[in-house]
């Protein structure tokens, strides 16, 4: 299991409020499956980030691309494997 950072850049602020409930419900479902490590918006309004837990980059991309924000063009996806350092 590895961590993947999905940076969700704001692409359409007008559609953001419309699809927010769908986005949050999707992430809640994935949290219950143990696929989301952390999530949250950026305070400057430029988007947000989801840290997925997946077995491969392909699995993480599939999870991220099914997010309603990404599917509906609300956010632009940037995905990277994240090597989490423990402090």
């Amino acid at each position: 299991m590895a961590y993947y950072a999905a940076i969700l850049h704001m692409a359409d602020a007008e559609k953001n409020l419309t699809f927010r409930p769908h986005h949050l419900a999707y992430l809640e479902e994935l949290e219950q499956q143990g696929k989301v490590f952390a999530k949250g918006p950026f305070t400057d309004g430029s988007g947000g980030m989801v840290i997925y837990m997946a077995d491969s980059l392909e699995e993480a991309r599939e999870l991220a691309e099914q997010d309603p924000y990404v599917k509906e063009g609300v956010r632009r996806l940037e995905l990277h494997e994240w090597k989490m350092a423990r402090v």
Side-chain angles (χ1 to χ4, degrees), residues 2-43:
Y3 296 92
Y4 298 88
I7 302 166
L8 301 171
H9 302 276
M10 185 67 71
D12 190 331
E14 289 183 29
K15 289 170 71 175
N16 190 67
L17 289 177
T18 300
F19 289 98
R20 182 173 168 73
H22 307 283
H23 164 75
L24 294 176
Y26 177 70
L27 293 182
E28 176 64 30
E29 179 181 317
L30 291 181
E31 281 182 299
Q32 292 175 7
Q33 296 173 25
K35 295 292 185 181
V36 173
F37 174 73
K39 67 183 186 322
F42 298 135
T43 59

Side-chain angles (χ1 to χ4, degrees), residues 33-87:
Q33 296 173 25
K35 295 292 185 181
V36 173
F37 174 73
K39 67 183 186 322
F42 298 135
T43 59
D44 65 1
S46 65
M49 185 166 63
V50 178
I51 306 294
Y52 291 102
M53 295 180 294
D55 291 324
S56 66
L57 178 61
E58 292 76 23
E59 179 189 4
R61 184 170 307 285
E62 185 176 307
L63 293 171
E65 288 178 347
Q66 291 303 309
D67 184 327
Y69 270 173
V70 176
K71 287 175 68 171
E72 299 297 332
V74 177
R75 306 280 180 97
R76 180 179 55 81
L77 174 64
E78 179 183 343
L79 186 66
H80 302 275
E81 186 169 358
W82 182 48
K83 184 177 180 182
M84 182 177 60
R86 302 234 186 240
V87 178

